[in-house]
Amino acid sequence: MIDAPTRLHPPARTPDAATLRQGYREARAAGAQRHRDIAGTLGASEGELIAAHVGQPVPTPGRPALAATRLQALWPALMAALPTLGRVMALTRNASCVHEKTGRYEQVGGEGPVGLVLGPDIDLRVFYKAWAHGFAVHEVASADAQVAPARSLQFFDASGTAVHKVFARPGTDLVAWDALLQHFAAPEQEPGLVAQPAAAAEPERPDAEVDVAAFRADWAALRDTHEFFALLQRHRLGRVQALRLAEPRFVQPVEPGAGAAARELLQAAAQHGTPIMVFVGNPGLIQIHTGPVKRVQVLGPWLNVLDPGFNLHLREDHIASAWVVRKPTADGVVTSLELFDAEGETIAMFFGERKPGRPELAAWRAITGRLVAEPGWAEEGTCAAC
């Protein structure tokens, strides 16, 4: 598991609800598609745009319209009810990457502010402290009278930035959907949302204040990848700063060509049939795909995986740095490709498919090894301190 990335920075607030509804209708008439983009043009966060439609009549086919129902902030209980819906699509994104998985919510659990979904298709790590608002959304985005209203559950942090969405799909149990909505609808259904300013990222400590020798020794002593976040906290390091200061035997930057690193990796994994893990997250949730990738396409700035059950959309032009990272564990070295934007925010992370107790795939190690300048670097299976 990766740690929750630093908070994103949504637009400042905001016109009133009536103005947002009018702006939404005009944007739809002009062909705009994504709520996030429509909200941005209106000077609002996505959550504010959705909240402006609370209490609106449920739309009917033939006229673009949106209606939202505010949900109670009972996040773990609501998550525990999602398995009743059957087959749905789970979507998690950050500013640079969208991760979509179709399947069922299964094995929902967790403890306190951290939740887990551990199904074979939908695999999530949930950080409820970042969750502030939830809505059930009905929308007709087309003037085509044959297009039925789309249904979704959408969750946002206090700034109105989306943390997770659940979309109905063919095969979704709509009777269970309506029952969930009835059970979790909030008593108050007035439109609007008071967005809070996003917390500023903590400034990076000067390198001179870091005990680099102690940090490197602790890295070499890792026995599980889940210990890495605690390592960063203990030494008060940001993730990119930690990669800069790590020993070269554990970290290599992808230079030049950081922006194309994910493309090269995904194309190689598809060509060789190498199963991988793709982690994409934001402060409220991390979503994971495990398995093969097959159809990799580049459309403008977007690098896409377009497979049945799994879609990935990644802005290559947002990648400011890419690193091949090796962490020692009780099962041997675990290798990842980690992508970051210009502000040091995590965009996505890629691992080889792996189960506890088993070493990572040699094919995965070979793919990542070809991304770095030192031939054979990532194929090294052991190190003295591992």
Side-chain angles (χ1 to χ4, degrees):
M1 187 179 78
I2 60 176
D3 50 292
T6 308
R7 180 178 293 279
L8 303 176
H9 305 282
R13 61 180 319 275
T14 206
D16 62 29
T19 302
L20 288 175
R21 291 195 296 270
Q22 178 64 26
Y24 165 84
R25 290 191 292 269
E26 293 174 355
R28 278 286 189 237
Q33 296 297 315
R34 299 180 182 87
H35 292 165
R36 182 186 179 100
D37 296 339
I38 294 172
T41 63
L42 298 173
S45 69
E46 188 178 0
E48 289 170 307
L49 178 68
I50 298 300
H53 291 82
V54 167
Q56 295 299 295
V58 174
T60 57
R63 180 182 178 186
L66 187 151
T69 300
R70 193 183 308 276
L71 301 174
Q72 299 179 68
L74 303 174
W75 312 131
L78 203 156
M79 186 68 73
L82 293 181
T84 65
L85 304 182
R87 190 170 177 82
V88 295
M89 189 266 277
L91 184 151
T92 300
R93 69 165 302 154
N94 53 50
S96 304
C97 195
V98 184
H99 190 295
E100 303 170 359
K101 285 287 289 186
T102 300
R104 298 173 181 269
Y105 284 73
E106 300 180 52
Q107 301 183 55
V108 178
E111 185 174 346
V114 178
L116 299 171
V117 179
L118 299 174
D121 296 317
I122 296 178
D123 186 1
L124 311 175
R125 308 295 179 268
V126 191
F127 310 104
Y128 292 119
K129 284 185 176 180
W131 291 42
H133 307 283
F135 304 91
V137 177
H138 280 67
E139 182 177 24
V140 172
S142 169
D144 185 345
Q146 304 303 311
V147 177
R151 298 189 183 205
S152 61
L153 304 173
Q154 305 192 19
F155 305 98
F156 301 88
D157 69 11
S159 70
T161 300
V163 294
H164 190 53
K165 299 180 182 181
V166 183
F167 290 86
R169 285 293 181 259
T172 299
D173 186 336
L174 296 182
V175 173
W177 188 287
D178 289 337
L180 182 148
L181 177 55
Q182 183 176 8
H183 182 77
F184 288 100
E188 183 274 314
Q189 292 293 332
E190 291 297 316
L193 179 158
V194 179
Q196 303 300 316
E202 288 190 18
E204 191 174 272
R205 288 175 67 201
D207 290 354
E209 295 181 7
V210 180
D211 187 336
V212 175
F215 163 63
R216 290 180 169 184
D218 285 350
W219 184 310
L222 290 171
R223 303 301 291 164
D224 191 296
T225 56
H226 297 90
E227 298 172 357
F228 191 71
F229 184 46
L231 171 68
L232 298 182
Q233 290 184 310
R234 187 162 60 252
H235 290 276
R236 295 167 49 210
L237 293 170
R239 196 159 192 128
V240 174
Q241 183 181 27
L243 300 183
R244 284 195 296 100
L245 297 177
E247 289 186 77
R249 62 173 169 152
F250 291 124
V251 178
Q252 288 287 313
V254 179
E255 295 178 339
R263 182 194 309 190
E264 183 177 342
L265 180 144
L266 288 170
Q267 289 174 338
Q271 178 183 355
H272 299 292
T274 305
I276 64 174
M277 302 178 74
V278 185
F279 291 66
V280 173
N282 56 57
L285 193 139
I286 293 165
Q287 185 163 305
I288 306 163
H289 164 76
T290 301
V293 293
K294 297 179 180 179
R295 185 182 174 197
V296 180
Q297 291 189 349
V298 178
L299 299 171
W302 291 96
L303 171 65
N304 304 280
V305 176
L306 303 173
D307 290 345
F310 173 54
N311 281 191
L312 184 77
H313 312 288
L314 191 158
R315 284 287 298 260
E316 289 187 302
D317 57 330
H318 286 191
I319 301 171
S321 68
W323 308 76
V324 178
V325 181
R326 302 174 70 207
K327 302 182 186 76
T329 77
D331 302 321
V333 168
V334 172
T335 309
S336 59
L337 173 68
E338 307 191 3
L339 309 178
F340 300 89
D341 67 16
E343 295 183 346
E345 304 280 5
T346 304
I347 296 175
M349 296 187 183
F350 301 84
F351 293 77
E353 182 179 16
R354 190 182 71 87
K355 298 291 185 183
R358 289 163 41 191
E360 72 178 10
L361 298 170
W364 168 254
R365 196 167 290 175
I367 289 171
T368 55
R370 288 194 289 270
L371 298 175
V372 297
E374 297 184 25
W377 172 82
E379 283 86 348
E380 297 174 8
T382 60
C383 63
C386 300

